[in-house]
Amino acid sequence: EIYTLSLHDALPIWDWKEISDLTPTEWKELKMDSHDDKGKSIQFWSTKNSREYWARRRFYDRRAFFVNCWHIDKYESAAMWSVYAPAGHGVAIVANYSRLVDAMAKTNERIFAATVEYVDFVTEPVNTGVIFPISKRRSFSYENELRLIHWDLNIQPAINNLCTKLASTMFRGVGQPTRTDEVDWDLIEEDVERVKYPNGHHIALDVEALISEVRISPTAEDWFVDLVRSVSTRYGLEARVTRSDLLSSPMR
């Protein structure tokens, strides 16, 4: 079963400031012993700036992604109820993956699905090609998250153009000098902030095909349970509406 939830993101950070900051492992990976002093400097700065560029690039790219998030588990999560419905007025939509596919079968939008990878951004290598929007800190691993992702290609070109402008100051082409100092990220930061994007994106789906059950918070009061059932009936939702039995007695 899968349940809806919300979104968090994180940006990886590299602590390199000078060549002396490289660990022995990083020194070996960058093949520093095979370069003279000038070559070492070029190798260091090109790697540092390239990594930072792609990290920031993925951060900027978030404006073009719209994400719908689900919790995957065979059982309900007490932590999820506590975090996302602390007042007891929470409602979970219960479905499965085949229902998601069926519900969006007729949509004209391109939707991608992926499970979130939980990463220690300090000690683990990060794949900046996919860090957004399917990577999160290990501290959120209890969410066991599946994300449905819509990539808005009307927004992406504006970001691409700005990043191309930045890259042109970093990588000067084959056979050209490589930048060996800090990159001027301020060159495009303000322009990126001005890229307009909506707070959300409406995508049509078949609600009846999607929902197998509506489950209400285990700490919800009776009036709230009655209200959810009343609204479901009023709008013709045929899915079963139940209160979570998470707090029920284990004695049968």
Side-chain angles (χ1 to χ4, degrees):
E1 294 179 337
I2 53 180
Y3 310 80
T4 58
L5 52 91
S6 65
L7 171 69
H8 301 275
D9 285 312
L11 179 69
I13 297 173
W14 284 273
D15 293 327
W16 295 350
K17 296 296 182 184
E18 302 294 341
I19 292 179
S20 59
D21 293 329
L22 295 176
T23 66
T25 299
E26 291 164 341
W27 184 276
K28 183 177 180 180
E29 289 176 351
L30 296 182
K31 299 180 173 57
M32 298 297 276
D33 285 332
S34 64
H35 299 288
D36 57 20
D37 288 345
K38 181 179 179 181
K40 286 183 173 65
S41 178
I42 292 174
Q43 177 75 324
F44 171 79
W45 282 103
S46 63
T47 302
K48 178 180 186 295
N49 290 341
S50 178
R51 290 187 177 186
E52 290 187 356
Y53 169 83
W54 283 109
R56 286 179 181 255
R57 172 64 191 263
R58 295 312 176 210
F59 193 75
Y60 299 152
D61 284 343
R62 292 189 308 169
R63 286 164 169 75
F65 288 103
F66 295 84
V67 179
N68 179 255
C69 308
W70 297 77
H71 170 69
I72 309 173
D73 209 333
K74 292 177 62 176
Y75 305 97
E76 287 183 42
S77 166
M80 294 299 291
W81 283 119
S82 177
V83 171
Y84 292 99
H89 296 158
V91 174
I93 295 173
V94 184
N96 56 40
Y97 189 73
S98 63
R99 281 183 170 272
L100 283 174
V101 173
D102 291 343
M104 294 183 292
K106 296 181 180 180
T107 182
N108 293 322
E109 307 284 5
R110 293 177 62 188
I111 308 297
F112 303 90
T115 54
V116 170
E117 179 184 14
Y118 297 95
V119 180
D120 182 338
F121 291 124
V122 176
T123 63
E124 296 180 271
V126 176
N127 181 353
T128 56
V130 297
I131 186 173
F132 290 120
I134 57 172
S135 296
K136 295 175 71 170
R137 296 182 186 278
R138 285 195 177 275
S139 299
F140 294 104
S141 61
Y142 68 90
E143 292 178 345
N144 202 25
E145 189 174 343
L146 169 77
R147 288 183 170 178
L148 302 179
I149 305 160
H150 170 61
W151 186 9
D152 192 326
L153 297 181
N154 293 318
I155 300 173
Q156 191 65 53
I159 300 297
N160 291 347
N161 290 338
L162 290 170
C163 290
T164 298
K165 177 181 177 181
L166 178 64
S168 68
T169 71
M170 299 168 55
F171 315 108
R172 300 189 173 100
V174 177
Q176 298 298 314
T178 302
R179 184 169 187 146
T180 55
D181 59 0
E182 296 287 350
V183 176
D184 182 12
W185 302 107
D186 291 338
L187 181 66
I188 67 169
E189 288 282 349
E190 291 185 1
D191 291 331
V192 169
E193 289 301 317
R194 283 193 288 267
V195 173
K196 296 185 181 300
Y197 59 96
N199 292 328
H201 193 85
H202 294 285
I203 295 177
L205 56 78
D206 185 340
V207 174
E208 291 291 347
L210 174 67
I211 303 174
S212 65
E213 182 182 342
V214 175
R215 199 166 299 172
I216 304 170
S217 169
T219 59
E221 299 175 28
D222 289 343
W223 68 265
F224 184 74
V225 176
D226 293 340
L227 176 62
V228 174
R229 286 174 175 163
S230 175
V231 170
S232 298
T233 299
R234 178 179 179 181
Y235 289 98
L237 183 64
E238 297 182 0
R240 185 175 59 153
V241 179
T242 63
R243 187 207 302 265
S244 166
D245 66 355
L246 194 62
L247 299 182
S248 63
S249 172
M251 305 301 293
R252 303 296 183 186

